[in-house]
Amino acid sequence: MKKILSIMVAWVLVLPCFAAADELARPPVPAAGNVTLPLDEYNRLIELAGKPARKPDAPPVPYTMKRADLKFRVANESVQGTVQLQGEILHKGATKIPLTTGMAILDARQEGKGLPLALENGTHTAVLVGPADFAVTLDAGLPLTMEAGRASFSLPVPSAGSVRLALVVPGDHTNVRISLGLITSRSSEKGQTAIEATLVPGQPTNIWWTTREAATPVVPKEVRFLSDVKTLVSVSEADIRIAALADITVVQGEPSQFQIEVPTGFEITGATGASVESSEVESGVLTLKVTGPAQRSHEFLISMEKSISATRADAPFLSFKDAQRETGEVLVEGAGTIELTATEAGGLKRIDFKEMSPYLRSLAHSPMQAAFRYHKQPNEKPALALEWTRFPDSSVIAAVAERAVVTTLVTTEGRSLTEIRLTIKNQAQPFLKVALPAGASILSAEVAGEKVKPVEGPDGNRVPLLRAGFRPVDSYTVSFVFMHSGAPFAKKGGSDLVLPKMDVPINLLEWEVFLPEQYKVKDFGGDAIAANLLPATSLDVSGAEGALNGMARGYSFDMLSLLPGQLGGIVVDPTGAMVPNAQVTVTQIDTGAQRTVVTDNSGRWIVSNLSTGRVKIAVNALGFKQLVSQINYDGGGPVPFNFALSLGAASELVEVTAANGPLNGYSTLDLERLQRDVRKNAEKQQMAASSNVTNLQQRISGVLPVRVDVPRAGNSYNFVRPLVLEEETKVSFTYKSK
């Protein structure tokens, strides 16, 4: 009965459909009925029907700038034209889009209608609605710089996928040149020159060309300048070499070249300088042509040499022609085993080596023999007669350790395991005599990477310095490991560590002590010096001029000491961590001279040979915003100039007002926080174990014939001692358990 009733209801529902089919033809409808599904399938369909619809992913950027077409014409001492920008808005709703920077915008249109613009920090922006494509046309103008025989302007290039430039300048066959871009076509007709070029997106482009405008002749002023020459005289077995640092100060006029008389018998081997365009020697006169005649100061490095066979010679003095005043310093050095006598005359004054210029002392590589200072007078000429006696070198049957690297691991029981690695320069000494402290014994020894057997004698232990078949011709490594029983650590107390006496002189001993982390140590004493107390060197890191001392691993904001003419500082991130490999570009605004350096692993950078004046500093690092600052640099009393970078894209620019010393762009509280973070990072870095500790820990397991429970976690303390001459080295400290 129920089944019949269901069929009747179905027919009642279907009949109106048949009636509607008469009016409008529709596809046939399947017969009504029940469908039987498994319960799991029915539940899965219910679950799918209840899930919300997945929202489409939003674009990663609000807009894209696809193309920029720039059309400009030069007329009436100005540059005018249009900038057409095409792009796409990806987000829904209103989006703020930066259009251009550094241009004077006269009008803005979108699809023929006026478009309002806003000026934010020098950037013209527009608010457009998306998602949709957009095309914006800007009427823009730029200033034109006119000089004698030259016209130029700077064009800010929009950040688009591709940028094309069409430019028309007056004049037939005008030689138009651009910097940062490629000219693709050039044509000339009707007294005008047209070019088309492809530009680098987002990078300013300089455009210039020559004009027929004649400069008004200027009567040149009489040239007056002062010279100060610092001369290094190097006496070797076969020749005399001269290296002269010349500082020229222009008082009046614009000299395009300087001339120096070459001393008789000497040959010029080099003449360099930041402003030197070219150099040539003709008829015994060295001519230095400079690129910036308007510069007030020039620096030259001149080198020359002369072969000798006698044991006496006169030191030459370089003299610049037409100099109004000539001053200088002379430093004499002798290579090899030599006894040298210097006799001065003509106004030379003997001075102490400490009074010499640090730049001149840095050029010396041999023992310094004499130093002088002079001020030339019209009625006298400085003279310096050199006479020397050379002694032949004699071979010595002895060994010298150029360097000793010591690693000590201390256990909680107070026992210590020490490895001593010596860089030996050996003539013929067969053994190294080692006077071990009481309770110590040698476990293993190696010569040039191969194991040897130490010998125990009545007057001490001996480690072989040579082995069968080994004939060293240069420095090589000798190492040995010894263990000391020591005394167990208590909750607090004191402890001593002692290195044995060895019968070879050691030029430099570097000692790393690794202690368990549960013991806090302080109050170090003894013969060695804590490495963190040594001052960091201030060598130039502007490329191949030097490398920073890797032994002093400490760090502080005022650790950088600068010499006159140097500019340097430190680059850190917002957390206070050092930023290595950051690019620092220093530009002297008055002269246009530019130098680029890279920070070292401690975030430090130094540039040398700068003159006093306005300086622009730009810092770029991957993952950080570009930072640009201008300072008034004092070359006579430089102080460190430091940067703290902000996270962001490299295309973002942060300009700061310079104040030498503190980290720019940060408040006093931020600076104190950064300094605390830097000190903490420096302490952690200083106390981190080196690879020497790791290597010794690995050798203990199954390599060394001893079982020692060396802690895997701990802190390292570094010590240094120079010139160790057959004596023990001791380090003492107090400790307490954490």
Side-chain angles (χ1 to χ4, degrees), residues 46 124 185 232 236 270 406 420 424 440 449 455 496 586 606 628 698 729:
I46 294 299
H124 293 279
S185 68
L232 174 66
S236 65
V406 183
I420 299 179
I424 294 290
V455 179
D496 295 332
V586 178
I606 294 179
V628 177
Q698 294 174 350
T729 300

Side-chain angles (χ1 to χ4, degrees), residues 46 109 144 177 249 369 418 464 500 504:
I46 294 299
R109 300 179 300 278
L144 182 65
R177 287 175 288 179
T249 302
Q369 304 291 332
T418 301
V504 296

Side-chain angles (χ1 to χ4, degrees), residues 192-472:
Q192 294 181 333
T193 300
I195 67 165
E196 294 183 0
T198 300
L199 306 181
V200 179
Q203 297 292 329
T205 297
N206 293 321
I207 304 174
W208 71 96
W209 61 93
T210 56
T211 63
R212 298 177 182 177
E213 183 177 323
T216 304
V218 178
V219 178
K221 293 184 179 180
E222 181 184 358
V223 174
R224 295 179 178 272
F225 64 91
L226 312 177
S227 71
D228 183 75
V229 181
K230 300 174 178 63
T231 305
L232 174 66
V233 181
S234 303
V235 180
S236 65
E237 295 183 0
D239 53 24
I240 292 181
R241 294 187 177 92
I242 304 297
L245 292 168
D247 292 327
I248 303 298
T249 302
V250 179
V251 179
Q252 178 179 291
E254 297 183 358
S256 60
Q257 64 181 27
F258 297 92
Q259 292 185 329
I260 306 129
E261 293 184 3
V262 180
T264 304
F266 280 87
E267 179 184 358
I268 300 295
T269 58
T272 60
S275 60
V276 174
E277 181 179 10
S278 63
S279 63
E280 60 180 12
V281 179
E282 185 176 353
S283 301
V285 176
L286 170 64
T287 301
L288 300 174
K289 296 183 179 180
V290 296
T291 56
Q295 275 186 238
R296 297 292 92 188
S297 62
H298 301 272
E299 294 180 344
F300 308 124
L301 175 59
I302 303 169
S303 57
M304 60 184 71
E305 62 182 25
K306 173 184 177 182
S307 300
I308 57 173
S309 57
T311 59
R312 63 179 61 189
D314 292 331
F317 290 83
L318 295 188
S319 178
F320 283 80
K321 286 188 175 182
D322 302 325
Q324 270 61 52
R325 188 188 69 189
E326 296 182 87
T327 58
E329 297 176 358
V330 179
L331 178 62
V332 182
E333 66 171 355
T337 308
I338 186 174
E339 181 181 351
L340 190 145
T341 303
T343 305
E344 67 273 18
L348 278 183
K349 295 182 180 179
R350 191 178 293 263
I351 60 176
D352 189 84
F353 296 123
K354 296 179 181 179
E355 301 179 48
M356 297 296 298
S357 166
Y359 299 112
L360 188 58
R361 291 203 308 266
S362 66
L363 294 177
H365 299 287
S366 301
M368 294 179 286
Q369 304 291 332
F372 304 91
R373 180 177 290 128
Y374 65 90
H375 182 179
K376 282 188 179 181
Q377 301 297 331
N379 55 351
E380 62 181 4
K381 184 178 181 180
L384 182 61
L386 305 177
E387 187 174 355
W388 60 88
T389 301
R390 188 174 298 278
F391 302 96
D393 296 333
S394 58
S395 59
V396 180
I397 302 177
V400 176
E402 299 175 344
R403 184 183 181 194
V405 179
V406 183
T407 306
T408 298
L409 308 182
V410 183
T411 69
T412 55
E413 295 83 10
R415 289 196 293 176
S416 63
L417 192 71
T418 301
E419 180 186 32
I420 299 179
R421 301 183 65 86
L422 302 170
T423 302
I424 294 290
K425 199 164 189 178
N426 190 10
Q427 298 292 334
Q429 185 169 327
F431 289 97
L432 170 68
K433 185 178 178 181
V434 181
L436 293 173
S441 59
I442 296 179
L443 303 179
S444 67
E446 293 183 356
V447 172
E450 294 191 12
K451 290 186 177 182
V452 293
K453 184 177 181 181
V455 179
E456 185 174 355
D459 56 346
N461 296 77
R462 285 174 171 79
V463 173
L465 293 180
L466 298 172
R467 52 179 169 79
F470 178 64
R471 296 294 181 266

Side-chain angles (χ1 to χ4, degrees), residues 407-410 497 512-521 524 553 683-690 693 697 711-719 733 736 738:
T407 306
T408 298
L409 308 182
V410 183
L497 297 175
E512 180 178 0
V513 179
F514 185 77
L515 298 174
E517 64 177 354
Q518 64 265 36
Y519 294 100
K520 182 178 181 180
V521 299
F524 286 101
R553 297 190 291 174
E683 291 174 359
K684 291 180 180 179
Q685 182 182 5
Q686 181 184 352
M687 298 176 66
S690 70
V693 173
Q697 288 174 338
R712 300 297 173 180
N715 298 316
S716 282
Y717 302 89
N718 294 271
F719 304 91
F733 57 88
K736 65 178 180 179
K738 295 182 181 180

Side-chain angles (χ1 to χ4, degrees), residues 66 87-92 97 110 128-135:
K66 300 179 180 178
E88 181 180 359
I89 304 171
L90 304 177
H91 283 186
K92 186 176 182 180
I97 300 177
Q110 183 184 17
L128 303 177
V129 179
D133 293 336
F134 68 86

